[in-house]
């Protein structure tokens, strides 16, 4: 049995909530659709940051500095994510998972749509990159509240012995979104003749504007599901307590389970570094450094995302048998030698090597990502589960998702591409230490 920290006082007997009117399969499907849409919006920014934004929003900086500035705006979202986790976690733990998830979807959709309408630096000058940063912050703020809510919604509905399997569905959202975002840019380029100037003028905007259609679909799906029975039972319990806990879930989570938040952040740092290096940065590296054409790089991304999705599904289901921690540890251990081998392989200049590099990077990421959807909800108590899971996940995003893309370009320029591999290996070693320190959660009772 887990030795996860417990509150200082004994909890009163928990009331029984009325049974849910929504099936776990429907919840899993709705969560998967929702995270796909949220991460589609998030990823098209990464693709555009690699292919377009250095020229459209930072033309005066030149190629290298423009790329660094573009990925700096990409990283802004990861700084915003912990703040989003705290704010949306507060409401998710106080008023419910469903209502909060509707808010995150709307914020993401509005931010993404407006980016598609934003004039470039040649039209409105320095205001363009400033507004871009603010909108990117909005995207990060939304994703900071999205992931924890979507996984909680599924994990709290799922049977205990199949929690890893059902929590897999929101975890499939990023792989589906990466396929969708790459395909959208690919089709847009094909329809416009893929001429560079046409794409720079307005072609890149189409994927951002198309997100409005997906947001409407996501809202329909989320409005049709019910709040989780575990949250409703906990809400009834809190309403009957005479000595109620703090009304600020962030302070409760940090006071009672700070250790789990920090260990989760460290354990997942390698996961984030592999994913965002394997998507946004390698998209840039393939086109600008290795000289591959844009359609080839985008198609490679689609293939790699399929591999990533399969790895996510298999590892999530398998974690119901052997535990979450062992599966994640396997990914972290394999990530160390692979990180050191990745850039020497890519720098061979072979198209086959590039395909292998992106696919294997996302395969290793997927092995760790699958069980994460069950692990983090299982780590935290119901009364601050949304906040705790979101904080652990998004602090890992700052360490593994924001820092490597910013440092990668200057490291490569100063010390060669191998230095990027060393950075990834160091993060993987950190994740090994933190994962080993975590308790196994497979048998935890989430009620």
């Amino acid at each position: 049995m887990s030795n996860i920290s417990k509150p200082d006082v004994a909890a009163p007997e928990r009331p029984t909530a009325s049974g849910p009117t929504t099936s776990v399969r429907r919840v899993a499907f709705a969560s998967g659709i929702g995270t796909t849409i949220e991460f589609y919006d998030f990823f098209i920014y990464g693709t555009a940051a690699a292919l377009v934004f250095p020229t459209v929003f930072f033309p005066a900086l030149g190629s290298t500095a423009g790329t660094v500035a573009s990925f700096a705006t990409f990283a802004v979202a990861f700084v915003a994510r912990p703040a989003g986790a705290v704010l949306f976690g507060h409401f998710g733990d106080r008023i419910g998972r469903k209502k909060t998830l509707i808010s995150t979807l709307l914020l993401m959709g509005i931010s993404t749509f407006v980016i598609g309408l934003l004039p470039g630096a040649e039209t409105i000058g320095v205001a363009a990159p400033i507004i871009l940063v603010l909108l990117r912050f909005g995207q990060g703020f939304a994703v900071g509240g999205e992931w924890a809510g979507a996984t909680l919604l599924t994990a709290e509905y799922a049977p205990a012995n199949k929690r890893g399997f059902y929590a897999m569905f929101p975890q499939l959202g990023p792989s589906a979104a990466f396929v969708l975002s790459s395909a959208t840019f690919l089709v847009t380029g094909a329809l416009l003749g893929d001429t560079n100037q046409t794409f720079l003028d307005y072609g890149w905007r189409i994927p951002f504007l198309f997100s409005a259609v997906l947001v409407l679909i996501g809202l329909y799906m989320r409005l049709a599901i019910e709040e989780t029975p575990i949250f409703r039972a906990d809400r009834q319990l809190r309403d009957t307590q005479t000595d109620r806990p703090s009304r600020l879930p962030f302070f409760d989570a940090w006071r009672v389970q700070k250790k789990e938040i920090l260990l989760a952040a460290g354990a997942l740092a390698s996961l984030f570094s592999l994913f965002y290096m394997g998507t946004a940065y390698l998209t840039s590296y393939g086109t600008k450094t290795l000289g591959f054409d844009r359609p080839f790089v985008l198609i490679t991304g689609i293939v790699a995302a399929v591999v990533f999705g399969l790895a996510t599904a298999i590892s999530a289901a398998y974690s119901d048998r052997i535990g979450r921690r062992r599966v994640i540890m396997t990914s972290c251990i394999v990530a160390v030698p692979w990180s050191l081998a990745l850039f020497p392989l890519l720098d061979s200049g072979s198209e086959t090597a590039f395909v292998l590099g992106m696919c294997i990077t996302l395969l290793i990421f997927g092995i760790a990502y699958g069980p994460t959807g069950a692990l983090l909800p299982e780590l935290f108590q119901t009364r601050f589960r949304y906040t705790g899971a979101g904080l652990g996940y998004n602090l890992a995003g700052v360490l593994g998702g924001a820092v490597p893309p910013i440092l990668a370009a200057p490291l490569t320029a100063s010390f060669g591409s191998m230095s990027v591999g060393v950075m990834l290996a160091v993060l993987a070693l950190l994740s090994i230490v933190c994962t080993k320190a975590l308790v196994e959660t497979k048998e935890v009772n989430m009620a």
Side-chain angles (χ1 to χ4, degrees):
M1 185 62 65
S2 166
N3 63 350
I4 294 173
S5 303
K6 299 297 180 184
D8 302 335
V9 296
E13 183 179 352
R14 183 178 295 278
T16 302
S18 57
T21 59
T22 309
S23 72
V24 64
R25 292 182 180 180
R26 184 173 184 178
V27 171
F29 182 71
S31 295
I33 291 293
T35 54
T36 297
I37 294 166
E38 289 263 13
F39 279 93
Y40 166 82
D41 287 0
F42 201 73
F43 293 157
I44 57 175
Y45 190 102
T47 304
L51 301 177
V52 178
F53 287 174
T55 303
V56 174
F57 293 104
F58 305 99
L61 298 181
S63 178
T64 300
T67 299
V68 172
S70 182
F71 278 117
T73 68
F74 179 80
V76 163
F78 293 96
V79 178
R81 284 172 71 156
V86 171
L87 179 66
F88 288 114
H90 173 85
F91 290 107
D93 285 324
R94 300 305 304 174
I95 67 174
R97 288 60 163 123
K98 173 185 171 178
K99 293 178 182 178
T100 305
L101 284 170
I102 290 171
S103 301
T104 64
L105 188 62
L106 284 172
L107 176 58
M108 174 63 84
I110 292 169
S111 299
T112 305
F113 187 80
V114 175
I115 289 174
L117 299 175
L118 183 61
E122 291 186 357
T123 304
I124 60 174
V126 72
I130 292 174
I131 297 171
L132 181 68
V133 168
L134 293 175
L135 293 171
R136 180 59 175 170
F137 189 91
Q139 284 190 318
F141 205 71
V143 168
E146 164 66 24
W147 182 88
T151 54
L152 261 61
L153 199 66
T154 308
E156 289 184 345
Y157 261 98
N161 64 337
K162 292 186 177 180
R163 201 177 290 136
F165 172 78
Y166 280 110
M168 160 192 75
F169 285 90
Q171 298 297 84
L172 291 176
S175 59
F178 191 48
V179 170
L180 189 58
S181 63
S182 296
T184 305
F185 274 100
L186 190 65
V187 170
T188 299
L191 292 177
L192 296 176
D194 207 32
T195 60
N196 194 51
Q197 193 56 49
T198 302
F199 190 74
L200 290 174
D201 286 342
Y202 62 87
W204 67 269
R205 301 179 183 277
I206 295 173
F208 287 84
L209 300 177
F210 175 67
S211 70
V213 176
L214 299 179
V215 168
L216 291 176
I217 295 172
L219 284 174
Y220 173 79
M221 294 296 300
R222 287 192 168 169
L223 287 169
I225 61 177
E226 298 292 332
E227 186 55 76
T228 73
I230 288 177
F231 174 80
R232 284 184 285 142
D234 185 74
R235 181 69 179 268
Q236 290 178 31
L237 173 65
R238 283 184 276 136
D239 288 344
T240 59
Q241 285 182 304
T242 55
D243 182 19
R244 296 186 181 184
S246 167
R247 297 185 65 84
L248 295 173
F250 169 75
F251 292 112
D252 276 354
W254 190 254
R255 176 177 60 84
V256 179
Q257 291 194 263
K258 174 172 62 176
K259 175 183 175 182
E260 284 79 11
I261 292 172
L262 295 177
L263 286 177
L268 301 182
S270 176
L271 174 157
F272 273 96
S273 69
L274 288 173
F275 183 60
Y276 290 103
M277 290 300 294
T279 54
Y281 183 73
L282 287 189
T283 298
S284 174
Y285 196 79
T287 53
K288 292 183 170 57
T289 303
L290 300 178
F292 298 134
D293 61 38
R294 186 164 60 235
F296 167 74
V297 172
L298 292 174
I299 291 171
T300 300
I302 292 172
V303 173
V306 172
V307 172
F308 151 42
L310 291 173
T312 299
I314 294 170
S315 65
Y318 199 57
S319 75
D320 282 329
R321 296 178 56 189
I322 68 170
R324 325 302 182 202
R325 196 177 68 150
R326 288 176 64 184
V327 178
I328 293 172
M329 180 67 82
T330 300
S331 170
C332 296
I333 291 172
V334 173
V336 175
W338 175 249
S339 297
L340 298 175
L342 175 60
F343 283 92
L345 177 69
L346 294 174
D347 290 342
S348 69
S350 162
E351 290 187 347
T352 301
F354 184 78
V355 173
L356 286 174
M358 188 174 279
C359 287
I360 295 176
T361 299
L362 292 187
L363 169 67
I364 297 170
F365 161 72
I367 292 171
Y369 196 62
T372 300
L375 171 72
L376 288 186
E378 290 167 343
L379 271 176
F380 297 98
Q381 298 172 38
T382 303
R383 63 193 175 105
F384 49 69
R385 181 172 290 139
Y386 201 129
T387 301
L391 269 176
Y393 184 82
N394 289 297
L395 287 174
V398 174
L399 182 59
V403 175
I406 292 177
L407 295 182
L411 279 175
T412 300
S414 300
F415 306 105
S417 60
M418 187 64 186
S419 60
V420 179
V422 172
M423 174 181 63
L424 297 179
V426 169
L427 285 171
L429 289 171
L430 170 67
S431 291
I432 289 172
V433 173
C434 292
T435 302
K436 185 174 178 58
L438 281 173
V439 298
E440 179 52 60
T441 62
K442 183 170 74 77
E443 304 298 333
V444 165
N445 180 5
M446 288 180 61

